[in-house]
Amino acid sequence: MIMAYPDVVTSSEEVYMDVSTAYDSPFYGGTYLWGSDFAPSHVRKVNYVTGLNTTIFWDKLIETLSIPKQCVDGVPQFV
């Protein structure tokens, strides 16, 4: 939703984020966030969304799910 309709985001913060990828860990898939003062050197800066315009969110979601598009020969068309 955010990539297709960036206007749905009302607030966000730049933070540093890491994801646990250790398969043998009970924390596998867990996300970790840091501010710039405490971030380890191996993490990346991301935009962490803290607020959405719920009216736009629901309108676009309902529109997308109720009128799906398909692609025929590279041209988007309504089903």
Side-chain angles (χ1 to χ4, degrees), residues 10-11 16 19 24 30 32 35 44 46-50 53 55 60 62-63 66-67 79:
T10 58
S11 62
Y16 291 85
V19 178
D24 59 345
Y32 304 93
R44 294 183 179 202
V46 298
N47 287 321
Y48 186 74
V49 175
T50 56
N53 181 325
T55 303
K60 294 295 184 183
I62 291 168
E63 175 186 331
S66 61
I67 310 171
V79 175

Side-chain angles (χ1 to χ4, degrees), residues 20-38:
S20 173
T21 58
Y23 291 113
D24 59 345
S25 169
F27 305 108
Y28 176 73
T31 57
Y32 304 93
L33 303 174
W34 291 275
S36 59
D37 296 341
F38 300 103

Side-chain angles (χ1 to χ4, degrees), residues 1-75:
M1 174 69 78
I2 294 168
M3 290 177 66
Y5 305 104
D7 54 325
V8 76
V9 176
T10 58
S11 62
S12 65
E13 294 182 37
E14 280 192 346
V15 297
Y16 291 85
M17 181 177 176
D18 190 20
V19 178
S20 173
T21 58
Y23 291 113
D24 59 345
S25 169
F27 305 108
Y28 176 73
T31 57
Y32 304 93
L33 303 174
W34 291 275
S36 59
D37 296 341
F38 300 103
S41 60
H42 69 278
V43 296
R44 294 183 179 202
K45 188 184 293 188
V46 298
N47 287 321
Y48 186 74
V49 175
T50 56
L52 295 175
N53 181 325
T54 55
T55 303
I56 295 174
F57 175 84
W58 288 111
D59 288 347
K60 294 295 184 183
L61 183 65
I62 291 168
E63 175 186 331
T64 302
L65 294 177
S66 61
I67 310 171
K69 293 181 183 180
Q70 67 179 8
C71 193
V72 177
D73 295 327
V75 180

